Amino acid sequence: MGGWPEARERSAPGRRRGRRSGSSPDPDGPDAVPPAGGPHLEDDPGDPEQVARSICLRALTGAPKTRQQLADLLAKRGIPDDVAEAVLDRFGEVGLIDDAAFARAWVTSRQAGRGLARRALKAELRAKGVDGEVAEEAIALVDDQDEWDAARRLVQRRLPGLRRVDRVTAERRLVGMLARKGYGSGLAGWVVREALDEDRSGDAAGEPGVHEDQGLDAWLP
């Protein structure tokens, strides 16, 4: 009989641990895990403006965002429109939101890294809520020769994997690839035909460039 209380005390912690591991935390309790991306407005009784600022700062920590992207995020989190407008205005005043700088950086990165043409870059900026005039100014950083050179690089990288297929198939695939990058059919067709002629004839002695008889304007969309 004397050993029973000790056994009961030793087993009690084990039983308590078992109940904790098998139960779900109270969603409103102090140990509850907040939802991904931060609390919704209804979850925080504090100042809505402070909640909005916190949401924007967290969003901007990973990468720059446009004003429209942040506005969409605040609306999704239940922030009133007038509060969102005031917070976004303030973030713009202190330089935390700068759509023009965002657009310039986006164009530079995507054109150099992905070889996108101006048409594709403009569509991407529009999807991110960049104003049309602001987008045009950023896209002006890319000129005709930039597009020509980028298209040639894209084709040259893809050519080795197409040497086992017939010319018609290779040309169709390469033109399709450039079209997905935003290039018009005129420029794409010219670059692809020129690259295939050089590759399949084995003549790679000269440095490819602008055609001697026709300028770039003749082949741009």
Side-chain angles (χ1 to χ4, degrees):
M1 293 293 291
W4 168 246
E6 292 182 6
R8 183 174 58 187
E9 290 174 4
R10 285 195 299 270
S11 63
R15 291 197 302 272
R16 286 197 296 270
R17 285 194 297 271
R19 285 197 298 271
R20 283 198 300 268
S21 62
S23 61
S24 299
D26 181 358
D28 298 319
D31 297 328
V33 178
H40 286 192
L41 179 60
E42 60 269 24
D43 296 332
D44 193 321
D47 179 14
E49 190 168 325
Q50 180 60 48
V51 176
R53 285 196 295 268
S54 298
I55 291 171
C56 289
L57 287 172
R58 283 196 297 270
L60 291 167
T61 299
K65 301 286 189 301
T66 65
R67 181 186 175 105
Q68 186 60 54
Q69 286 177 304
L70 292 174
D72 292 343
L73 178 59
L74 293 177
K76 185 177 180 181
R77 298 293 175 84
I79 302 296
D81 290 345
D82 58 334
V83 174
E85 190 77 12
V87 170
L88 294 175
D89 285 346
R90 180 56 180 158
F91 272 51
E93 290 171 3
V94 299
L96 290 174
I97 301 175
D98 187 339
D99 281 6
F102 175 94
R104 290 192 297 270
W106 185 268
V107 166
T108 300
S109 172
R110 300 287 283 177
Q111 202 276 330
R114 298 288 303 278
L116 297 185
R118 286 169 290 192
R119 183 184 302 175
L121 292 168
K122 185 175 182 178
E124 288 189 343
L125 291 176
R126 187 186 307 118
K128 293 185 178 297
V130 176
D131 177 76
E133 188 173 330
V134 173
E136 289 291 348
E137 291 178 359
I139 291 169
L141 296 171
V142 181
D143 62 21
D144 294 346
Q145 189 65 53
D146 291 331
E147 285 200 340
W148 184 271
D149 294 340
R152 291 194 60 84
R153 288 194 297 270
L154 289 169
V155 170
Q156 291 298 328
R157 285 202 296 264
R158 187 76 185 275
L159 267 177
L162 295 173
R163 286 178 178 141
R164 294 185 178 182
V165 303
D166 62 88
R167 182 185 173 106
V168 173
T169 301
E171 185 171 336
R172 184 179 69 250
R173 292 180 182 177
L174 290 170
V175 170
M177 179 266 293
L178 290 179
R180 290 190 294 274
K181 299 283 189 178
Y183 292 92
S185 58
L187 184 148
W190 175 261
V191 169
V192 168
R193 287 191 295 271
E194 185 183 51
L196 287 173
D197 288 345
E198 294 173 354
D199 184 70
R200 302 202 172 202
S201 68
D203 181 14
E207 180 68 21
V210 179
H211 195 275
E212 294 180 358
D213 299 327
Q214 293 177 296
L216 289 173
D217 292 343
W219 304 103
L220 291 173

